[in-house]
Structure formats: C-alpha cells, structure tokens
Amino acid sequence: MKKRFVILKHEKFNHNGFIFPYIAFVSVVIITALISAVALVHNQQLETYQYYEQLKLDTLLQMGKEQLRTEQSVLDKDCPRSRTYTYPYGTATIRCEQIEDGILKARFTLETNKGTIVNKLVNFRTDLP
C-alpha cells in the first residue's frame, strides 16, 4: 500500500476542492513576503540616496570653509560680500555675518547637483594656519 502525504490524508480527499485552502494560504504568505521585500528595497534605496546627499552637503561645507579660509588675506576687517563657489558636487554660497576676535560667523547656503538645498550658520576661526 502506498503511503500518502501527511497533509493529504484520505479522509480529506474529496472532489469538492480539498486543496484550495492550502494553496490560498501559501499564496497569501508568498505575496506578503514579496510585498515586504519590495517595501524594504524601496526604503533602503531612499535611505542610501539621502545619505549620499548628506555626504555631498558635508563635502560642500568643508570645501567652502577651506576656500574661504585660504582667502583670508582678501578678507577685510568688515564682513566681506556674499561669495559663491562652484564645486563638482554643487554650489556653496557664503554670506559673512560678523568677524569678532578671529571667529567668523557665516551663513552657508549649500545646493547639490540633485537640487537639495541646506542653510547652515557656521562659526570658525580664520586665523588658523
């Protein structure tokens, strides 16, 4: 005598669609897993994009600070006019607010190539080598 599969016992075998509940349950589980996987991939792509934009903004900030620091001989005792620097990742516009005791307070407007715009108020020393 042949052994039958445990789930498909002889008493459950009839001609009115005995296997539909099992197929429906497995289908729901597979579809739920696929939808969850797609949502996770989408969220991870969005997170990676935002992390990359943040990295570019930090790079623009550091490049702008360093270029302003190297031009300190051009800076007057008064706050200089607005300066715009263009870099490979985007642009940095720097507006000086005040200089006191070698500390420059400047407002940085950073814009990446993808269009992300951030304003930052930065204090840094201009008299460092």
Side-chain angles (χ1 to χ4, degrees):
M1 177 166 179
K2 279 187 177 181
K3 260 189 157 177
R4 294 184 182 236
F5 190 59
V6 177
I7 295 176
L8 304 175
K9 291 185 180 178
H10 184 63
E11 53 273 352
K12 291 184 181 178
F13 188 78
N14 63 25
H15 300 289
N16 295 328
F18 74 99
I19 203 158
F20 178 72
Y22 302 117
I23 298 300
F25 178 73
V26 169
S27 299
V28 167
V29 169
I30 290 173
I31 289 172
T32 304
L34 286 174
I35 290 173
S36 298
V38 168
L40 285 172
V41 167
H42 177 70
N43 287 343
Q44 191 156 14
Q45 285 176 341
L46 182 63
E47 183 179 336
T48 301
Y49 171 77
Q50 290 174 343
Y51 177 73
Y52 187 63
E53 285 294 302
Q54 182 64 40
L55 186 64
K56 288 195 295 188
L57 288 168
D58 289 341
T59 302
L60 287 173
L61 178 67
Q62 293 299 321
M63 291 169 78
K65 281 174 61 174
E66 199 56 39
Q67 187 156 0
L68 191 63
R69 188 174 283 136
T70 57
E71 295 176 355
Q72 75 179 1
S73 61
V74 178
L75 295 177
D76 300 328
K77 294 297 180 189
D78 297 330
C79 290
R81 58 180 169 74
S82 174
R83 298 175 186 269
T84 301
Y85 302 113
T86 303
Y87 300 112
Y89 295 123
T91 60
T93 304
I94 304 169
R95 290 178 192 84
C96 178
E97 295 200 354
Q98 69 186 74
I99 298 176
E100 290 179 356
D101 301 327
I103 297 176
L104 174 69
K105 292 182 182 180
R107 181 166 305 278
F108 283 72
T109 302
L110 309 168
E111 182 176 2
T112 63
N113 293 337
K114 301 271 184 170
T116 305
I117 299 173
V118 171
N119 291 318
K120 286 194 171 203
L121 184 61
V122 178
N123 298 332
F124 65 96
R125 297 185 64 82
T126 57
D127 57 357
L128 293 176

